[in-house]
Amino acid sequence: LQRRPCRMTPRLELLAADDLPRLLDEAFRVLERVGVRIEDRSAAEVLLAAGAVERSGRFFLSENLVRAALATAPPRFALCDRSGAAVVELGADRTQFNPGSAAIYRLDGGSTGREGRRPASTADVIALVQLVDDLPCYAAQSTALVPADVPEEIADRWRLLLALRHGVKPVVTGTFTRDGFAQMRGILTAVRGGERALRERPLALFDCCPTSPLTWSDLTGAALVAAARAGVPANLVAVPMTGATAPVTLFGALVQLAAENLAGVAIHQLAGPGAPLVWGGAPSAFDMRHGSAAMGAIESAMLNVANAQVGRALGLPTHGYLGLSDAKTPDYQAGMESANGALLGALAGIDLVSGPGLLDYLL
């Protein structure tokens, strides 16, 4: 625990002073020697124009290229509510919370386990939006539920529309389809009152997730480029799982996470220099017995805490998936795992913690 004069609480940092530069050095070497897969052509083109090298479907990025992109990313920005007031400060050394996403089930009250869960509906989405809007512990809302009563092709924009119609707080969201971002941006622009107003007073943060290991897919690569060019804040959420889609060691998984996010920084800032960006992640331990991501495990919390330390060292606002539980019902396990994660996220100084409200391996 290191005390900082500007904070009233200790700062939890798991990486020692000599670990952090070694981790980043290894991540840069991964990008230079192993490379990343880039499936979206618009993302590939911005990298190639900046000097990246393409061989056999992989893109190799130099440290200089990535650091030049990092230099244009803003260290601080705010998300605004529907009235235009800045309510979520990112990069301001202040921990804030929003619900995790994107669950597909709702657990009915009084249920004792999975027998009480059912597919989420539009009514459930609206009820959750209204609840989160009334709870001061949530600085932002999110498109936390995926409704099963609308076609899959429009589920992403339908969730956003419901969030903005029934709530006031800014929204953490994301796209499910390549054509989703343009329509979701149109909704945000209409609510804010114009494209310039939306740039100046952001109403949403778009999660953009690389596919571990070391791939930016056609969907998320396109979303990252589109968000940067529109000036809509993006959140880099790499999801490595130890022993499954990443090295089994925590340090190795962090190296991969950093490489995936650094590639995202390069794509984003080359597409739109100065566009707002968050260094996020949802890393987890992998339960090899059951084939599940143990999001409530202490190892997962440690990965999030350390990843925030990496993002902060790079001068970026930070995000992490904490304050949730793998319990099947809101019981003692759920309370313990959620509380431990929320506490560790606050002690680590993570700017935005996503997760409170999620149970059962994010289901």
Side-chain angles (χ1 to χ4, degrees):
L1 293 174
Q2 299 182 3
R3 290 197 174 273
R4 301 293 177 92
C6 61
R7 290 177 61 88
M8 297 180 66
T9 58
R11 161 80 43 87
L12 175 62
E13 295 184 340
L14 298 183
L15 294 171
D18 56 344
D19 285 335
L20 191 53
R22 182 164 65 92
L23 188 153
L24 285 171
D25 182 66
E26 291 189 19
F28 283 120
R29 298 295 82 76
V30 168
L31 293 177
E32 289 181 343
R33 300 172 186 175
V34 180
V36 290
R37 281 190 66 200
I38 307 293
E39 296 179 354
D40 173 63
R41 203 60 211 168
S42 63
E45 287 170 357
V46 297
L47 291 176
L48 291 172
V53 176
E54 182 181 5
R55 290 197 304 269
S56 302
R58 302 191 71 82
F59 290 76
F60 299 84
L61 317 181
S62 70
E63 181 174 345
N64 288 338
L65 183 157
V66 179
R67 287 199 178 277
L70 276 166
T72 65
R76 181 172 178 173
F77 67 94
L79 298 177
C80 302
D81 64 14
R82 208 167 60 191
S83 72
V87 295
V88 179
E89 301 176 64
L90 298 166
D93 204 31
R94 177 187 176 194
T95 299
Q96 299 140 111
F97 295 85
N98 71 281
S101 59
I104 58 175
Y105 296 111
R106 154 83 181 265
L107 185 66
D108 284 327
S111 300
T112 58
R114 280 182 170 170
E115 66 274 6
R117 77 180 189 184
R118 56 176 175 77
S121 67
T122 292
D124 295 325
V125 175
I126 294 171
L128 182 60
V129 168
Q130 294 172 334
L131 175 64
V132 170
D133 226 36
D134 286 339
L135 293 175
C137 56
Y138 287 115
Q141 58 172 318
S142 64
T143 47
L145 284 171
V146 181
D149 55 354
V150 297
E152 291 183 10
E153 293 79 6
I154 64 166
D156 50 5
R157 58 220 78 175
W158 181 244
R159 297 183 308 157
L160 178 63
L161 181 63
L162 295 175
L164 294 172
R165 174 168 290 182
H166 298 278
V168 172
K169 295 177 179 179
V171 189
V172 181
T173 188
T175 62
F176 294 161
T177 61
R178 273 189 66 94
D179 65 340
F181 180 83
Q183 296 185 19
M184 295 172 77
R185 178 192 175 197
I187 295 171
L188 291 166
T189 301
V191 172
R192 181 56 79 213
E195 293 184 4
R196 180 177 176 180
L198 183 61
R199 281 179 178 266
E200 294 174 348
R201 298 188 299 279
L203 185 55
L205 176 68
F206 274 77
D207 288 345
C208 296
C209 307
T211 303
S212 297
L214 299 169
T215 298
W216 278 91
S217 72
D218 185 54
L219 170 62
T220 55
L224 196 57
V225 171
R229 289 174 174 167
V232 173
N235 184 23
L236 304 174
V237 188
V239 193
M241 293 182 286
T242 58
T245 61
V248 72
T249 64
L250 300 188
F251 192 88
L254 284 168
V255 169
Q256 181 182 301
L257 192 161
E260 291 167 345
N261 270 5
L262 285 169
V265 171
I267 294 169
H268 185 268
Q269 289 300 299
L270 290 170
L277 183 68
V278 176
W279 181 278
S284 74
F286 184 71
D287 188 332
M288 296 187 183
R289 293 171 302 174
H290 304 293
S292 57
M295 298 297 293
I298 190 62
E299 293 87 353
S300 300
M302 292 168 67
L303 286 166
N304 276 281
V305 168
N307 182 52
Q309 189 178 344
V310 175
R312 194 162 46 246
L314 294 171
L316 295 173
T318 58
H319 159 274
Y321 252 81
L322 290 162
L324 44 75
S325 175
D326 298 326
K328 311 300 184 293
T329 188
D331 55 13
Y332 290 106
Q333 176 191 347
M336 178 191 71
E337 291 180 349
S338 298
N340 284 347
L343 176 62
L344 290 172
L347 287 174
I350 299 175
D351 292 302
L352 186 62
V353 174
S354 298
L358 277 175
L359 295 173
D360 200 0
Y361 307 104
L362 310 188
L363 292 175

